[in-house]
Amino acid sequence: MSAKTAQSIVREKKNIRDYLASFFKWVLIIFFAVYTLFPLLWLFLTSLKTNAEYFDNPFSLPAVPQWQNYVNAFQQANLGRMISNSVIVAVTATVINVMIASMLSYCLSRFKFKGREIIFTFFSVGVLVPLNALMVPYFSIFSKMGLVDSLGALIILYAAIGLPISTFIIRGFMSSFPAEIEEAAYIDGSGFYGRFFKMILPLTKTGLVTAATFEFITCWNEFVYANLLTSSPVTKTIQIGIRYFTNQFTTDYVSMYAAIIISIAPSIIGYMLFQKQVISGLTSGAVKG
């Protein structure tokens, strides 16, 4: 066998391996895309059916799109008020969470003091604590504070439970921020608050957006504590509204699915708008932190 023939065989085998690798890669990508998108597509199409069509064949296409189901979802469960409550709670809790986490991260990344790593470890361990294990203590605390059945309880709770992950993300960014730039600002006469608000926060905005996105999605989708700490219709959030379509005797499935679509839409839209910042934030923090 000549050398040219051997090289040709080697190249051919390499091309076959590359082709197979590319083929299996795209098979996996398509599989996970279908696995992810199919439930959302099925949920949307089902929300446009009648209950009779749904029970007859759950996987068929709607004969005539029933957009009235979305109107029914708003009217039956008063979703407008619940969406307003969710917006107030999620936005307020996110702002409080990110501000506290950014201040804490700045102190942990810039100042050296005894017990600094212990404090950071304490907050990091908070990520591992299951939230359901804290239901009784939280309910007892808010009961004694007189905040049960109020939006204030949810705002304080959500801002607190999101601190570990927000601190973990933001600290990675602030640790990677060159100290020399801050020292130069200090020499030029910039005070503590000036350096923090005018220089540190703008330069670490990618990390702030990443933490804020995760916190907002968590606040918007949370159900257990919202159900635990609210009881009156004026304080319930959008996730609680989905339960209004189920009772002891009947369930309006198509309207309930329409309500689910309405409830998950802000999370999906928010992530789509900030996905570049979130991915950049996670990868930058992992590399530089």
Side-chain angles (χ1 to χ4, degrees):
M1 183 182 296
S2 64
K4 291 184 177 180
T5 303
Q7 292 178 357
S8 176
I9 293 174
V10 171
R11 283 197 301 268
E12 185 176 348
K13 290 183 177 179
K14 184 177 182 301
N15 291 336
I16 293 175
R17 287 197 300 268
D18 292 342
Y19 173 80
L20 291 176
S22 177
F23 174 77
F24 285 115
K25 178 186 73 173
W26 281 107
V27 167
L28 287 175
I29 291 174
I30 294 173
F31 171 77
F32 284 112
V34 172
Y35 180 80
T36 303
L37 297 177
F38 177 76
L40 295 176
L41 180 61
W42 178 85
L43 187 65
F44 174 70
L45 293 176
T46 304
S47 70
L48 299 177
K49 296 180 181 180
T50 63
N51 279 302
E53 289 178 324
Y54 171 71
F55 286 116
D56 181 59
N57 187 353
F59 296 101
S60 64
L61 295 175
V64 178
Q66 302 294 321
W67 298 104
Q68 183 65 28
N69 292 335
Y70 287 85
V71 178
N72 294 339
F74 273 94
Q75 293 177 345
Q76 295 179 25
N78 193 20
L79 290 187
R81 178 59 181 267
M82 295 181 182
I83 291 175
S84 176
N85 290 340
S86 291
V87 170
I88 294 172
V89 169
V91 172
T92 307
T94 299
V95 172
I96 295 174
N97 172 273
V98 172
M99 286 304 301
I100 295 177
S102 61
M103 294 176 183
L104 176 62
S105 300
Y106 181 65
C107 292
L108 293 176
S109 63
R110 280 291 181 266
F111 301 103
K112 295 182 179 180
F113 54 90
K114 187 176 182 180
R116 182 182 67 167
E117 293 303 321
I118 295 177
I119 295 175
F120 179 67
T121 302
F122 176 79
F123 275 90
S124 299
V125 170
V127 179
L128 306 177
V129 178
L131 296 180
N132 291 345
L134 303 175
M135 291 176 63
V136 174
Y138 275 133
F139 185 80
S140 177
I141 292 172
F142 286 116
S143 295
K144 292 180 179 179
M145 294 174 63
L147 292 177
V148 173
D149 197 25
S150 68
L151 298 182
L154 295 180
I155 291 172
I156 296 172
L157 175 66
Y158 292 163
I161 63 179
L163 276 178
I165 185 64
S166 296
T167 303
F168 184 81
I169 293 173
I170 298 174
R171 182 180 184 264
F173 265 84
M174 291 191 175
S175 296
S176 66
F177 183 74
E180 291 77 9
I181 299 179
E182 189 177 356
E183 292 172 358
Y186 176 77
I187 295 174
D188 290 340
S190 178
F192 173 81
Y193 294 103
R195 297 196 305 273
F196 180 74
F197 287 103
K198 295 181 180 179
M199 183 174 64
I200 300 297
L201 291 186
L203 291 175
T204 57
K205 63 180 180 180
T206 303
L208 299 179
V209 171
T210 303
T213 302
F214 279 113
E215 174 67 10
F216 180 86
I217 292 176
T218 300
C219 296
W220 186 271
N221 293 331
E222 205 282 324
F223 173 83
V224 175
Y225 282 101
N227 188 45
L228 176 69
L229 297 176
T230 60
S231 57
S232 61
V234 295
T235 58
K236 290 187 178 296
T237 58
I238 180 63
Q239 303 302 329
I240 308 299
I242 298 173
R243 298 180 57 193
Y244 278 81
F245 301 95
T246 302
N247 56 46
Q248 183 178 359
F249 303 102
T250 183
T251 299
D252 186 358
Y253 285 101
V254 294
S255 296
M256 181 176 66
Y257 292 151
I260 294 174
I261 289 291
I262 294 171
S263 69
I264 65 177
S267 298
I268 296 175
I269 294 173
Y271 183 80
M272 290 175 63
L273 291 176
F274 298 108
Q275 62 175 326
K276 290 184 179 180
Q277 290 86 343
V278 171
I279 295 173
S280 174
L282 292 176
T283 54
S284 297
V287 173
K288 298 178 183 178

